[in-house]
Amino acid sequence: MRFQLSHILEAPCDNGSKINNYLLEWDKGNGNGAFEQCYYGQQKQCKITELSPAMGFTFRLAAKNDLGMSGFSEEVLYHTTGTAPAAPSSPVLLEAGVTWLSLQWAKPSGTPSDEELSYNLEMEDEDLGCGFKPKYNGDELTYTVKDLKRRTKYKFRVIACNSEEPPMDDGGAAITKYVLEISEGLNGPPGIDNGSPIISYSLEMSPAETDEPREVYCGPDEEFTVGHLLPGTTYSFRLRAANAAGAVNVAGAGPFSEVLVCLMPCSVPATVTCLQEAKVENPLYSPSTCLAISWEKPCDYGSEITGYTIEYGEKQPITVGKVTSFFIDNLQPDTTYRIRIQAWNSLGAGPFSNMVKLKTKPLPPEPPRLECSAYGSQTLKLKWGEGIARTLSDSTQYHLLMDDKTGRIVSIYKGSCHTYKVQRLSESTSYRFYIQACNEAGEGPLSQGYIFTTTKSVPPALKTPKIERINDHTCEVTWETLQPMKGDPIVYSLQAMMGKDTEFRQIYKGPDGSFRYSGLQLNCESRFRVCAIRQCRDSAGHRDLVGPCSATVSFIPQKAESTVGKDTAENTQWTLSDEQCATVILLLFAVFSISVTFIIQYFVIK
């Protein structure tokens, strides 16, 4: 098959010097801005053959006279037409049922593998005598015709269509032609031709929605068939005649006939267009089991549209009312559905729309197992999703919830992490937690309740104990006492380290707040510290929770000296804790630094 373009050249102004030749250049359809000569000569038209179908070509033109070549004209783009597909093979019967037939057909031979085709399957019931009726329109090569009569013979045929040859909308039945008849009394030939025979007629038509008539026929015939009219539409026609003197002369235009108004018969609705996936905000809508669609209302062809029929896969068709959007529910997750729709009115159902393929989302993820990885008296560290493979494209989010004091379920965390530390909890208290996973498909189900219990708190650290000398070998150590913790009694452990010992040893354990120690050695340093112990009694039995130790206090006993005539004076020894020693050292260092700074400034200034 050959494709060609005929390019007609219009002569420009020659500016006083006759044009000798024309130069026509084109881009050969490359679209890269590079032009080549395709014609040079005196002719004003050029035919280019052996082109590719459905392709655009850009041209530009220059003229030449005795003074030289002109500049190029503006570039123009022309397209060759496409080709209609060849006829496919006749449909073959795959399987037959009592009330259905399953058919199959093949692509037309020689069709490029990347060309997208759609097919119209038509059926004829010879008993009805209505000819072939459309049964299917889509891109599949198989179709099951349902709701047929038992033991009945049917004929089928298939038509292939591409983008260059779209299927025509005939409202459900082929329209052969519309004939406008001119009655003899109203619109016959004029009775007076004013001395010159009538040589032509001019017929003008205007739809009811516009007042601008347009000429649809001009010629000598007294009958004309007007095509491409729409069902259920009103058209106005008028006619006038012309002879050798013309239809228009100095006296004005010839008169038109009276206006003839014709109402075309109503028909089934036109094809539904713009069928597409839609967004919907409805609490009952789930993207895993629902698909939302929308469409544009087609022309009703004179009879009001009363509803639509939606087909999706092998499911039973759905009938909806006068709406232009709908969501289909009870679908399978992660499944592709082929959907098409047709409108219907009092005269019947119109043709089906083009088929669209839509896919439901996968089901939302199941909740992971929730565990507690670290227990504290006021904190619980939770983890989940251990062992779940994560990818860069993983969009799973997690929602952690818990029961509050009133029994309500409240949110405490949302995010993509797999751990969370719950804080500000009460000791020895049970808490109930829930978790759910979410992704693009929606929120998954809420998990069962997981109960975790915080531990009991250990007693706080005590203040530095105080030491009072009793004699050369005895001292009394006192410390602060604590109240029972939630009914659990508190005892105390006093620890001491004597002389060159390297470890503390317990010298007292009990509920008292003081202890008299009699194992001192003269001029030998003794260190003391104390900690509180919470004695717990629960279902697990008796156990001690030991709190942190206090700061250490040092004591060096020295022998007392007696003087005649004077009272016996007890030598009081300074006892400093570790913190107090550090404070003294820091003060001495500060004094030394200030003194050095003062001396340096003094000598520099002098």
Side-chain angles (χ1 to χ4, degrees):
M1 182 177 291
R2 298 175 58 189
F3 290 85
Q4 60 187 25
L5 284 174
S6 293
H7 195 79
I8 301 176
L9 316 179
E10 295 184 3
C13 178
D14 57 10
N15 288 334
S17 179
K18 183 179 179 181
I19 295 175
N20 299 326
N21 291 291
Y22 296 95
L23 173 62
L24 180 65
E25 293 186 349
W26 68 329
D27 65 350
K28 289 190 173 182
N30 297 324
N32 56 7
F35 287 83
E36 297 182 16
Q37 176 179 318
C38 63
Y39 172 76
Y40 181 80
Q42 298 179 354
Q43 300 297 324
K44 294 183 181 180
Q45 64 181 20
C46 174
K47 179 180 290 186
I48 305 171
T49 60
E50 299 182 357
L51 303 179
S52 299
M55 188 171 180
F57 300 86
T58 304
F59 297 88
R60 65 182 184 181
L61 179 67
K64 182 181 179 182
N65 60 14
D66 294 337
L67 300 178
M69 185 74 71
S70 71
F72 282 100
S73 66
E74 293 183 0
E75 298 174 4
V76 293
L77 177 65
Y78 297 122
H79 291 81
T80 54
T81 60
T83 59
S89 59
S90 299
V92 295
L93 181 64
L94 288 180
E95 193 175 357
V98 178
T99 59
W100 55 271
L101 293 172
S102 183
L103 305 174
Q104 184 182 37
W105 56 91
K107 259 189 173 184
S109 59
T111 303
S113 58
D114 59 346
E115 183 175 3
E116 296 183 358
L117 298 179
S118 62
Y119 303 91
N120 291 335
L121 176 65
E122 297 180 350
M123 182 188 78
E124 181 184 30
D125 185 350
E126 294 182 345
D127 294 343
L128 298 179
C130 296
F132 283 92
K133 298 292 184 181
K135 299 300 293 182
Y136 168 76
N137 171 252
D139 56 359
E140 298 298 325
L141 296 176
T142 60
Y143 183 74
T144 300
V145 186
K146 301 178 181 179
D147 300 327
L148 302 178
K149 293 181 293 186
R150 301 178 61 183
R151 302 181 61 83
T152 304
K153 183 179 180 181
Y154 296 93
K155 289 183 178 180
F156 295 91
R157 66 184 183 185
V158 177
I159 304 172
C161 307
N162 59 16
S163 59
E164 294 295 331
E165 194 72 23
M168 297 296 293
D169 173 25
D170 56 12
I175 299 174
T176 57
K177 67 176 181 178
Y178 293 99
V179 178
L180 174 65
E181 294 184 354
I182 304 175
S183 66
E184 182 177 350
L186 178 61
N187 289 319
I192 301 176
D193 58 16
N194 292 327
S196 178
I198 296 173
I199 58 174
S200 68
Y201 296 92
S202 174
L203 177 64
E204 293 185 353
M205 179 192 75
S206 62
E209 61 269 13
T210 177
D211 294 331
E212 297 181 1
R214 64 181 181 89
E215 187 176 68
V216 294
Y217 172 75
C218 183
D221 295 335
E222 296 182 1
E223 178 181 302
F224 178 70
T225 299
V226 183
H228 303 291
L229 302 181
L230 298 178
T233 304
T234 300
Y235 295 91
S236 299
F237 297 89
R238 63 181 184 178
L239 181 70
R240 63 180 174 182
N243 56 18
V248 180
N249 56 27
V250 294
F256 276 104
S257 67
E258 295 182 11
V259 175
L260 175 65
V261 178
C262 296
L263 174 62
M264 304 308 300
C266 297
S267 180
V268 296
T271 305
V272 176
T273 59
C274 298
L275 177 60
Q276 60 187 350
E277 188 172 9
K279 294 183 179 180
V280 63
E281 294 183 2
N282 190 310
L284 301 179
Y285 179 83
S286 169
S288 300
T289 58
C290 300
L291 284 174
I293 57 175
S294 65
W295 59 89
E296 288 188 0
K297 179 182 177 182
C299 180
D300 58 16
Y301 286 156
S303 180
E304 182 182 7
I305 293 175
T306 54
Y308 298 88
T309 298
I310 302 172
E311 281 192 359
Y312 59 107
E314 299 298 323
K315 300 285 186 177
Q316 184 70 22
I318 298 175
T319 300
V320 299
K322 295 185 289 186
V323 297
T324 56
S325 63
F326 185 76
F327 76 82
I328 310 169
D329 55 6
N330 297 324
L331 302 178
Q332 293 297 319
D334 198 20
T335 304
T336 299
Y337 289 89
R338 295 174 174 85
I339 303 174
R340 62 178 186 169
I341 187 172
Q342 65 180 165
W344 39 271
N345 57 18
S346 60
L347 299 176
F352 275 101
S353 66
N354 289 332
M355 188 174 293
V356 297
K357 295 180 181 180
L358 301 179
K359 187 176 183 180
T360 53
K361 301 288 186 182
L363 280 173
E366 292 293 321
R369 177 178 177 81
L370 189 61
E371 299 176 346
C372 183
S373 60
Y375 293 86
S377 60
Q378 294 181 321
T379 62
L380 291 171
K381 186 175 182 181
L382 307 180
K383 68 175 183 177
W384 57 86
E386 185 175 5
I388 297 178
R390 301 192 66 186
T391 62
L392 294 177
S393 60
D394 187 9
S395 60
T396 303
Q397 300 282 308
Y398 300 97
H399 190 189
L400 186 64
L401 308 97
M402 67 179 293
D403 288 341
D404 66 3
K405 295 179 180 179
T406 63
R408 296 182 307 167
I409 298 179
V410 296
S411 173
I412 58 175
Y413 171 76
K414 281 185 178 180
S416 58
C417 294
H418 284 210
T419 60
Y420 183 73
K421 189 174 184 179
V422 189
Q423 306 185 71
R424 299 179 181 178
L425 304 178
S426 299
E427 67 162 321
S428 189
T429 304
S430 296
Y431 295 90
R432 188 186 302 270
F433 298 91
Y434 312 86
I435 192 169
Q436 68 177 164
C438 315
N439 61 13
E440 60 179 5
E443 295 184 351
L446 199 65
S447 72
Q448 63 178 7
Y450 294 86
I451 298 177
F452 304 111
T453 304
T454 54
T455 61
K456 289 189 174 183
S457 301
V458 298
L462 301 177
K463 295 181 180 179
T464 305
K466 297 179 180 179
I467 301 178
E468 182 180 355
R469 183 179 183 276
I470 303 300
N471 54 41
D472 290 347
H473 300 286
T474 305
C475 68
E476 186 173 48
V477 184
T478 59
W479 56 85
E480 65 173 326
T481 59
L482 302 176
Q483 295 295 323
M485 300 178 68
K486 286 196 172 182
D488 295 335
I490 304 295
V491 297
Y492 306 93
S493 173
L494 180 62
Q495 303 170 10
M497 186 168 60
M498 304 300 176
K500 296 182 180 179
D501 293 346
T502 58
E503 293 183 356
F504 282 91
R505 61 183 178 87
Q506 181 176 286
I507 60 176
Y508 169 78
K509 181 180 180 181
D512 297 333
S514 64
F515 178 73
R516 182 169 289 188
Y517 179 65
S518 58
L520 299 178
Q521 300 177 11
L522 290 176
N523 299 319
C524 181
E525 182 182 22
S526 300
R527 295 185 177 185
F528 300 90
R529 68 183 184 183
V530 67
C531 66
I533 302 174
R534 180 179 180 178
Q535 295 184 321
C536 302
R537 295 180 179 87
D538 50 29
S539 59
H542 174 82
R543 57 194 178 98
D544 289 346
L545 295 179
V546 181
C549 292
S550 67
T552 302
V553 62
S554 299
F555 179 73
I556 304 177
Q558 295 181 353
K559 186 174 181 60
E561 297 180 358
S562 301
T563 304
V564 178
K566 295 184 179 179
D567 296 333
T568 301
E570 292 185 354
N571 182 25
T572 303
Q573 176 69 37
W574 282 6
T575 60
L576 298 176
S577 66
D578 292 344
E579 289 82 357
Q580 292 170 334
C581 291
T583 302
V584 172
I585 293 173
L586 184 62
L587 289 174
L588 292 176
F589 180 77
V591 171
F592 175 76
S593 301
I594 294 173
S595 301
V596 171
T597 304
F598 176 78
I599 293 172
I600 292 175
Q601 289 181 345
Y602 176 80
F603 284 106
V604 170
I605 293 173
K606 294 299 182 178

